[in-house]
Amino acid sequence: MPFDSTLTDQAARARRWFYAALAATLAFRAWLAWATPITGDEAYFLAWGRHPDWGFYDHPPMVGWWLALLLRISDAAWVVRLPALLLPPALALLARPALRAWFGARPAQADYAGVLLLLAPLSVWNVLITTDTPLTLFAFASLLLYARAVQTDRAEIYLAAGACLGLAFLSKYFAVLLGFGFLAWTVLSPDVRGRWKGLGLALLAALPFGLVNAWWNYQACWSNVMFNAINRHEGAQISWRTPALFAATMVYLFAPFAWYAWKRRGALLTELFEPERRVLHFAWLASLAVFALLAPVKSIGLHWLQSFVPAVVLGAALFLERAELERCVRFFAVLAALHVALAAGVAVTPLERWSGARIYDGLVYLAEAPQLLRLLAPYAQRYQLAADGYSAASILAYHARREVPVFGPGSSHARHDDILTDWRAYAGRDLMILRKTLPPRDEYAPYFRSIELRTIELRGVTFHLVLGDGFDYQAYRARVLAQVSERWYRIPAALPIGRCYFCERYFPDSACGR
């Protein structure tokens, strides 16, 4: 075992590290959750929570369900972010007893694992409520249960692991990668009796959750499938930048672990011969291998890796020697302190200090959305507010507490507005479209009887307002909605269509591009 059981002083030191990290990170993250404005992605997911359903455009429904419950309490940022705020402590508190009871870890090992789960970079600063929040929780529970099932060969534990995998799948499709890790472990573990039966039981328990998602997609233009498998990958091409960015992300998240894994690669290979520990390693090895293969043609977002960090930490906690584990803790403690210092520096810096940055208009939009709405108030009685992008519309909708549609074709991302907004209801009405850039006059003229351009100044940023009288729905349908249908709702013939809200609403005589 990596730790000497007689070193009780080291166990006490590890326990002090755990409670200090728990208190410090929770306090910092609570402040960050309160002080950080709601982001565009969060505001977008909050729109899901206001209209709970069996599914939503981009992803399966879990985060929308969570937010629907939280919105019954309050829509304050710190309330809706509670799941994200409490996620790292929950992971740490789950990991410590599981490591001791199921994997034979000594108390210090378990405590240091908890510390690393608390001090991992994403655990320090990521307080945003996104689809990755429930995914990480359920994937972690599934991994622990599956590893335990391998040890005990008990059917009910395999079923519980599969149910958690299904809940993870209803959070985000990345759960499939964890299932792929289980499959890889099964194929490469001929020494484990009953491994195929266990995998079958887990998949059987996960199946109902997948069927729920498939049923909703069948009734909703296959929007999850279209977005994740087709639409979001338009323009993907080989680039040297994306692999370099992926490598930098790996260094940021796992540098000390990678160093010791390479330094003691022989011992790591030996570790892989222990079946239950092999499960923990395959959970992240299989997933990161898939991301590495995608990196030359796809930018791998930092948040994509969030749900796989706990598997790396658990594997490292069981593999590393005591001194190595302590060095990892100190490394991440220093990195966490740098993040805290950076956040404090940003908090005390006047917003105008960023006026020379390209993102300044976006920062003002985030931080001053309530003031922006007050400046728009004189137009509110006559004009329906809209925006030219999904992030901007979501932020305005969150602060205005009413729907703000997206005017124009938008992008392949975040198209849930296609479900929420029926443009037929706006025929003949007056609209105002808020933009951060000056619009060409002829961009909006075809869709209104008359238009007027105005500007609004806020903290040194000029926002542009298009005031359109008499919305021409038929022109908008012919020019914009037809383009949207052709570009993002061309459902492959292999997918049978039950219903499609977009085609039924605007093009009832067509069959989604078929």
Side-chain angles (χ1 to χ4, degrees), residues 44 48 51-62 65 169-170 173 208-228 415-420 489 491 496-502 505:
Y44 178 69
W48 297 6
H51 302 276
D53 200 347
W54 288 102
F56 304 98
Y57 174 83
D58 310 66
H59 300 292
M62 187 62 69
W65 294 350
F169 182 83
L170 280 186
Y173 284 167
F209 301 92
L211 291 177
V212 166
N213 182 250
W215 172 82
W216 181 84
N217 272 275
Y218 174 70
Q219 300 287 343
C221 313
W222 292 99
S223 60
N224 289 173
V225 176
M226 291 294 294
F227 171 67
N228 287 284
R415 300 200 62 89
H416 195 67
D417 184 70
D418 290 343
I419 298 176
L420 298 179
Y489 287 92
I491 302 173
I497 302 174
R499 299 190 63 183
C500 180
Y501 53 86
F502 193 87
R505 189 181 296 163

Side-chain angles (χ1 to χ4, degrees), residues 162-195:
C164 288
L165 182 63
L167 291 169
F169 182 83
L170 280 186
S171 303
K172 198 169 187 177
Y173 284 167
F174 279 160
V176 171
L177 296 180
L178 179 59
F180 177 64
F182 293 161
L183 174 62
W185 175 87
T186 303
V187 171
L188 298 175
S189 299
D191 53 330
V192 180
R193 184 178 179 181
R195 67 192 191 281

Side-chain angles (χ1 to χ4, degrees), residues 167-315:
L167 291 169
F169 182 83
L170 280 186
S171 303
K172 198 169 187 177
Y173 284 167
F174 279 160
V176 171
L177 296 180
L178 179 59
F180 177 64
F182 293 161
L183 174 62
W185 175 87
T186 303
V187 171
L188 298 175
S189 299
D191 53 330
V192 180
R193 184 178 179 181
R195 67 192 191 281
W196 286 105
K197 177 182 177 182
L199 178 66
L201 289 171
L203 295 180
L204 181 65
L207 180 61
F209 301 92
L211 291 177
V212 166
N213 182 250
W215 172 82
W216 181 84
N217 272 275
Y218 174 70
Q219 300 287 343
C221 313
W222 292 99
S223 60
N224 289 173
V225 176
M226 291 294 294
F227 171 67
N228 287 284
I230 301 174
N231 294 339
R232 73 183 304 171
H233 304 296
E234 60 179 359
Q237 57 185 352
I238 295 177
S239 170
W240 64 266
R241 292 184 178 86
T242 48
L245 180 61
F246 177 66
T249 300
M250 298 294 289
V251 170
Y252 172 67
L253 292 176
F254 306 124
F257 300 144
W259 166 252
Y260 286 120
W262 175 253
K263 185 178 179 181
R264 299 178 54 225
R265 52 194 179 276
L268 180 59
L269 289 174
T270 301
E271 175 97 353
L272 294 178
F273 284 96
E274 298 186 34
E276 67 274 10
R277 295 191 180 187
R278 192 188 305 156
V279 173
L280 299 179
H281 291 298
F282 271 58
W284 62 266
L285 276 171
S287 303
L288 295 185
V290 171
F291 288 138
L293 291 174
L294 290 175
V297 296
K298 187 71 178 176
S299 179
I300 306 300
L302 184 62
H303 65 288
W304 288 19
L305 303 172
Q306 179 177 341
S307 62
F308 307 105
V309 171
V312 176
V313 171
L314 293 186

Side-chain angles (χ1 to χ4, degrees), residues 426-430 449 469-473:
Y426 290 97
R429 293 179 58 181
D430 301 334
R449 184 173 58 252
D469 294 345
F471 173 60
D472 187 340
Y473 161 72

